[in-house]
Amino acid sequence: MEVDHIGIAVRNLTDALRAWEPTLGTNGSAPEEVPGQRVRVSFLETGALHLELLEPMAADSAVGRFLEQRGEGLHHVAFRVPNVDEALADLARRGGRLVDTVGRPGARGRRVGFAHPSAHHGVLVEFVERP
Ligand code: CO
């Protein structure tokens, strides 16, 4: 599998973009709301590195709770898969712990699904459907 992007939880997307843009020498994408995850996201892409900055839209959202418990920082690693439902089913068959049993709408119009952070040393794993 190839890494699609790395997700970083931030308290404030505007502040985070101001911090990351000079470091990476590129501008973030226009902020996008992902209602299913109750986050606002922006992507920064430079070479093979694609970062997703995630700001919670509510304190009781998954990312809001993550920030409360752990603070800002690495939230998930996303891998490209040809079919997100199959990737989740394959992982379940291998005994993996899933957050989603089927894909759901994610950022940039792509279907995504998540595997549980407790199985990966606190790091959430995302599958992104990208044929
Ligand atoms: Co992501």
Side-chain angles (χ1 to χ4, degrees):
M1 285 190 293
E2 279 181 40
V3 173
D4 187 78
H5 63 270
I6 291 169
I8 299 191
V10 304
R11 295 191 190 283
N12 182 287
L13 195 53
T14 306
D15 290 348
L17 285 167
R18 204 173 289 138
W20 278 98
E21 284 175 342
T23 302
L24 299 182
T26 187
N27 291 327
S29 61
E32 172 188 351
E33 292 191 358
V34 185
Q37 291 157 50
R38 291 196 288 165
V39 288
R40 281 175 72 230
V41 304
S42 176
F43 288 86
L44 292 127
E45 304 191 339
T46 175
L49 175 64
H50 295 189
L51 282 190
E52 177 184 29
L53 303 176
L54 306 102
E55 175 197 80
M57 291 165 62
D60 65 347
S61 62
V63 174
R65 288 194 304 271
F66 176 94
L67 284 175
E68 183 65 33
Q69 290 163 14
R70 310 212 353 215
E72 295 179 300
L74 178 64
H75 179 259
H76 66 268
V77 178
F79 297 95
R80 261 171 225 178
V81 296
N83 183 299
V84 73
D85 295 326
E86 283 175 14
L88 292 165
D90 284 348
L91 181 56
R93 274 194 293 275
R94 294 194 299 269
R97 283 196 67 198
L98 305 181
V99 174
D100 300 309
T101 51
V102 294
R104 51 171 150 151
R108 303 191 286 191
R110 301 205 173 103
R111 295 186 74 238
V112 303
F114 292 92
H116 211 277
S118 64
H120 312 103
H121 302 87
V123 179
L124 184 68
V125 169
E126 177 180 6
F127 295 121
V128 182
E129 189 164 291
R130 211 158 156 169

mmCIF file of all heavy atoms in Angstrom, residues 4-8 37 41 43 51-54 75-78 107-108 112 114 124 126-128, ligand 1:
data_model
loop_
_atom_site.group_PDB
_atom_site.id
_atom_site.type_symbol
_atom_site.label_atom_id
_atom_site.label_comp_id
_atom_site.label_asym_id
_atom_site.label_seq_id
_atom_site.Cartn_x
_atom_site.Cartn_y
_atom_site.Cartn_z
ATOM 1 N N ASP A 4 -1.279 7.742 1.352
ATOM 2 C CA ASP A 4 -1.993 8.815 0.655
ATOM 3 C C ASP A 4 -1.717 10.153 1.333
ATOM 4 O O ASP A 4 -1.419 11.134 0.674
ATOM 5 C CB ASP A 4 -3.497 8.533 0.641
ATOM 6 C CG ASP A 4 -4.261 9.530 -0.214
ATOM 7 O OD1 ASP A 4 -4.231 9.375 -1.454
ATOM 8 O OD2 ASP A 4 -4.852 10.477 0.350
ATOM 9 N N HIS A 5 -1.844 10.159 2.650
ATOM 10 C CA HIS A 5 -1.549 11.385 3.397
ATOM 11 C C HIS A 5 -1.386 11.074 4.878
ATOM 12 O O HIS A 5 -1.700 9.963 5.327
ATOM 13 C CB HIS A 5 -2.651 12.437 3.205
ATOM 14 C CG HIS A 5 -3.997 12.038 3.718
ATOM 15 N ND1 HIS A 5 -4.939 11.374 2.957
ATOM 16 C CD2 HIS A 5 -4.578 12.188 4.947
ATOM 17 C CE1 HIS A 5 -6.024 11.150 3.678
ATOM 18 N NE2 HIS A 5 -5.838 11.629 4.907
ATOM 19 N N ILE A 6 -0.906 12.067 5.598
ATOM 20 C CA ILE A 6 -0.767 11.987 7.053
ATOM 21 C C ILE A 6 -1.661 13.060 7.649
ATOM 22 O O ILE A 6 -1.659 14.214 7.182
ATOM 23 C CB ILE A 6 0.705 12.189 7.450
ATOM 24 C CG1 ILE A 6 1.518 10.975 6.998
ATOM 25 C CG2 ILE A 6 0.846 12.399 8.964
ATOM 26 C CD1 ILE A 6 2.995 11.171 7.092
ATOM 27 N N GLY A 7 -2.475 12.681 8.634
ATOM 28 C CA GLY A 7 -3.435 13.612 9.230
ATOM 29 C C GLY A 7 -2.915 14.158 10.556
ATOM 30 O O GLY A 7 -2.448 13.391 11.405
ATOM 31 N N ILE A 8 -3.027 15.471 10.716
ATOM 32 C CA ILE A 8 -2.575 16.138 11.938
ATOM 33 C C ILE A 8 -3.752 16.910 12.536
ATOM 34 O O ILE A 8 -4.379 17.727 11.842
ATOM 35 C CB ILE A 8 -1.401 17.081 11.627
ATOM 36 C CG1 ILE A 8 -0.253 16.238 11.071
ATOM 37 C CG2 ILE A 8 -0.982 17.867 12.872
ATOM 38 C CD1 ILE A 8 1.038 16.929 10.949
ATOM 39 N N GLN A 37 -17.381 13.548 9.501
ATOM 40 C CA GLN A 37 -16.365 13.466 10.558
ATOM 41 C C GLN A 37 -16.348 14.721 11.424
ATOM 42 O O GLN A 37 -15.548 14.817 12.348
ATOM 43 C CB GLN A 37 -14.981 13.224 9.938
ATOM 44 C CG GLN A 37 -14.866 11.835 9.323
ATOM 45 C CD GLN A 37 -13.789 11.751 8.250
ATOM 46 O OE1 GLN A 37 -12.669 12.158 8.466
ATOM 47 N NE2 GLN A 37 -14.146 11.251 7.086
ATOM 48 N N VAL A 41 -10.974 20.582 6.973
ATOM 49 C CA VAL A 41 -9.643 20.104 6.614
ATOM 50 C C VAL A 41 -9.040 20.961 5.510
ATOM 51 O O VAL A 41 -9.750 21.607 4.731
ATOM 52 C CB VAL A 41 -9.673 18.620 6.154
ATOM 53 C CG1 VAL A 41 -10.307 17.738 7.232
ATOM 54 C CG2 VAL A 41 -10.387 18.459 4.829
ATOM 55 N N PHE A 43 -5.458 20.479 2.809
ATOM 56 C CA PHE A 43 -4.334 19.617 2.427
ATOM 57 C C PHE A 43 -3.154 20.454 1.959
ATOM 58 O O PHE A 43 -3.329 21.463 1.262
ATOM 59 C CB PHE A 43 -4.756 18.669 1.295
ATOM 60 C CG PHE A 43 -5.685 17.575 1.750
ATOM 61 C CD1 PHE A 43 -7.059 17.798 1.797
ATOM 62 C CD2 PHE A 43 -5.194 16.341 2.142
ATOM 63 C CE1 PHE A 43 -7.921 16.796 2.226
ATOM 64 C CE2 PHE A 43 -6.059 15.337 2.571
ATOM 65 C CZ PHE A 43 -7.412 15.559 2.606
ATOM 66 N N LEU A 51 0.005 16.353 3.597
ATOM 67 C CA LEU A 51 -0.498 16.506 4.960
ATOM 68 C C LEU A 51 -1.955 16.931 4.916
ATOM 69 O O LEU A 51 -2.341 17.749 4.079
ATOM 70 C CB LEU A 51 0.259 17.619 5.705
ATOM 71 C CG LEU A 51 1.641 17.372 6.260
ATOM 72 C CD1 LEU A 51 2.022 18.550 7.142
ATOM 73 C CD2 LEU A 51 1.706 16.076 7.037
ATOM 74 N N GLU A 52 -2.740 16.392 5.823
ATOM 75 C CA GLU A 52 -4.112 16.843 6.026
ATOM 76 C C GLU A 52 -4.171 17.456 7.418
ATOM 77 O O GLU A 52 -3.872 16.774 8.403
ATOM 78 C CB GLU A 52 -5.086 15.656 5.934
ATOM 79 C CG GLU A 52 -6.537 16.029 6.206
ATOM 80 C CD GLU A 52 -7.473 14.817 6.206
ATOM 81 O OE1 GLU A 52 -7.032 13.703 6.535
ATOM 82 O OE2 GLU A 52 -8.653 15.004 5.865
ATOM 83 N N LEU A 53 -4.533 18.722 7.498
ATOM 84 C CA LEU A 53 -4.721 19.374 8.789
ATOM 85 C C LEU A 53 -6.203 19.311 9.105
ATOM 86 O O LEU A 53 -7.037 19.647 8.256
ATOM 87 C CB LEU A 53 -4.245 20.831 8.733
ATOM 88 C CG LEU A 53 -2.785 21.037 8.311
ATOM 89 C CD1 LEU A 53 -2.473 22.528 8.197
ATOM 90 C CD2 LEU A 53 -1.833 20.373 9.285
ATOM 91 N N LEU A 54 -6.533 18.855 10.323
ATOM 92 C CA LEU A 54 -7.940 18.669 10.702
ATOM 93 C C LEU A 54 -8.275 19.518 11.921
ATOM 94 O O LEU A 54 -7.632 19.374 12.966
ATOM 95 C CB LEU A 54 -8.217 17.211 11.067
ATOM 96 C CG LEU A 54 -7.856 16.132 10.071
ATOM 97 C CD1 LEU A 54 -6.563 15.450 10.495
ATOM 98 C CD2 LEU A 54 -8.957 15.111 9.962
ATOM 99 N N HIS A 75 -2.496 12.394 14.000
ATOM 100 C CA HIS A 75 -3.820 11.828 14.251
ATOM 101 C C HIS A 75 -4.051 10.548 13.457
ATOM 102 O O HIS A 75 -4.565 9.577 13.980
ATOM 103 C CB HIS A 75 -4.886 12.876 13.905
ATOM 104 C CG HIS A 75 -6.291 12.400 14.101
ATOM 105 N ND1 HIS A 75 -7.084 11.977 13.056
ATOM 106 C CD2 HIS A 75 -7.033 12.267 15.223
ATOM 107 C CE1 HIS A 75 -8.262 11.614 13.534
ATOM 108 N NE2 HIS A 75 -8.267 11.779 14.838
ATOM 109 N N HIS A 76 -3.682 10.539 12.174
ATOM 110 C CA HIS A 76 -3.854 9.307 11.399
ATOM 111 C C HIS A 76 -2.894 9.223 10.217
ATOM 112 O O HIS A 76 -2.344 10.227 9.786
ATOM 113 C CB HIS A 76 -5.300 9.156 10.913
ATOM 114 C CG HIS A 76 -5.758 10.189 9.925
ATOM 115 N ND1 HIS A 76 -6.388 11.346 10.297
ATOM 116 C CD2 HIS A 76 -5.692 10.223 8.573
ATOM 117 C CE1 HIS A 76 -6.697 12.054 9.204
ATOM 118 N NE2 HIS A 76 -6.279 11.390 8.146
ATOM 119 N N VAL A 77 -2.708 7.988 9.763
ATOM 120 C CA VAL A 77 -1.971 7.733 8.536
ATOM 121 C C VAL A 77 -2.961 7.102 7.564
ATOM 122 O O VAL A 77 -3.695 6.185 7.931
ATOM 123 C CB VAL A 77 -0.776 6.782 8.772
ATOM 124 C CG1 VAL A 77 -0.057 6.489 7.460
ATOM 125 C CG2 VAL A 77 0.192 7.381 9.786
ATOM 126 N N ALA A 78 -3.003 7.654 6.353
ATOM 127 C CA ALA A 78 -3.966 7.179 5.359
ATOM 128 C C ALA A 78 -3.248 6.457 4.224
ATOM 129 O O ALA A 78 -2.232 6.940 3.712
ATOM 130 C CB ALA A 78 -4.764 8.355 4.798
ATOM 131 N N ALA A 107 -13.038 13.466 2.669
ATOM 132 C CA ALA A 107 -12.626 14.718 2.036
ATOM 133 C C ALA A 107 -12.338 14.491 0.550
ATOM 134 O O ALA A 107 -12.039 13.380 0.125
ATOM 135 C CB ALA A 107 -11.388 15.264 2.740
ATOM 136 N N ARG A 108 -12.447 15.564 -0.218
ATOM 137 C CA ARG A 108 -12.114 15.581 -1.651
ATOM 138 C C ARG A 108 -12.928 14.559 -2.444
ATOM 139 O O ARG A 108 -12.471 14.013 -3.440
ATOM 140 C CB ARG A 108 -10.611 15.341 -1.859
ATOM 141 C CG ARG A 108 -9.758 16.376 -1.116
ATOM 142 C CD ARG A 108 -8.300 16.327 -1.497
ATOM 143 N NE ARG A 108 -7.620 15.187 -0.934
ATOM 144 C CZ ARG A 108 -6.307 15.022 -0.933
ATOM 145 N NH1 ARG A 108 -5.527 15.950 -1.466
ATOM 146 N NH2 ARG A 108 -5.756 13.964 -0.409
ATOM 147 N N VAL A 112 -13.806 6.760 2.258
ATOM 148 C CA VAL A 112 -12.775 6.430 3.249
ATOM 149 C C VAL A 112 -13.344 5.461 4.277
ATOM 150 O O VAL A 112 -14.566 5.315 4.414
ATOM 151 C CB VAL A 112 -12.253 7.700 3.975
ATOM 152 C CG1 VAL A 112 -11.700 8.710 2.973
ATOM 153 C CG2 VAL A 112 -13.345 8.352 4.832
ATOM 154 N N PHE A 114 -12.039 3.721 8.388
ATOM 155 C CA PHE A 114 -11.006 3.810 9.422
ATOM 156 C C PHE A 114 -10.847 2.505 10.194
ATOM 157 O O PHE A 114 -11.821 1.799 10.460
ATOM 158 C CB PHE A 114 -11.345 4.943 10.398
ATOM 159 C CG PHE A 114 -11.244 6.315 9.783
ATOM 160 C CD1 PHE A 114 -12.365 6.916 9.202
ATOM 161 C CD2 PHE A 114 -10.035 6.984 9.747
ATOM 162 C CE1 PHE A 114 -12.272 8.172 8.625
ATOM 163 C CE2 PHE A 114 -9.933 8.245 9.170
ATOM 164 C CZ PHE A 114 -11.054 8.846 8.609
ATOM 165 N N LEU A 124 -4.623 6.278 14.383
ATOM 166 C CA LEU A 124 -5.751 5.855 13.556
ATOM 167 C C LEU A 124 -5.232 5.535 12.148
ATOM 168 O O LEU A 124 -4.348 6.228 11.636
ATOM 169 C CB LEU A 124 -6.750 7.017 13.513
ATOM 170 C CG LEU A 124 -8.080 6.868 12.813
ATOM 171 C CD1 LEU A 124 -8.974 5.887 13.544
ATOM 172 C CD2 LEU A 124 -8.763 8.244 12.746
ATOM 173 N N GLU A 126 -6.405 5.169 8.189
ATOM 174 C CA GLU A 126 -7.461 5.499 7.226
ATOM 175 C C GLU A 126 -7.151 4.808 5.907
ATOM 176 O O GLU A 126 -6.003 4.787 5.474
ATOM 177 C CB GLU A 126 -7.498 7.028 7.012
ATOM 178 C CG GLU A 126 -8.512 7.476 5.962
ATOM 179 C CD GLU A 126 -8.539 9.004 5.765
ATOM 180 O OE1 GLU A 126 -7.702 9.710 6.360
ATOM 181 O OE2 GLU A 126 -9.383 9.466 4.990
ATOM 182 N N PHE A 127 -8.185 4.254 5.293
ATOM 183 C CA PHE A 127 -8.069 3.767 3.914
ATOM 184 C C PHE A 127 -8.792 4.762 3.026
ATOM 185 O O PHE A 127 -9.921 5.175 3.337
ATOM 186 C CB PHE A 127 -8.704 2.390 3.761
ATOM 187 C CG PHE A 127 -8.009 1.306 4.535
ATOM 188 C CD1 PHE A 127 -8.684 0.578 5.501
ATOM 189 C CD2 PHE A 127 -6.668 1.010 4.305
ATOM 190 C CE1 PHE A 127 -8.058 -0.430 6.227
ATOM 191 C CE2 PHE A 127 -6.026 0.009 5.031
ATOM 192 C CZ PHE A 127 -6.722 -0.709 5.986
ATOM 193 N N VAL A 128 -8.160 5.160 1.952
ATOM 194 C CA VAL A 128 -8.739 6.113 0.995
ATOM 195 C C VAL A 128 -8.909 5.406 -0.337
ATOM 196 O O VAL A 128 -7.930 4.869 -0.876
ATOM 197 C CB VAL A 128 -7.842 7.345 0.782
ATOM 198 C CG1 VAL A 128 -8.491 8.326 -0.172
ATOM 199 C CG2 VAL A 128 -7.517 8.018 2.098
HETATM 200 CO CO CO B 1 -7.345 11.737 6.313
#
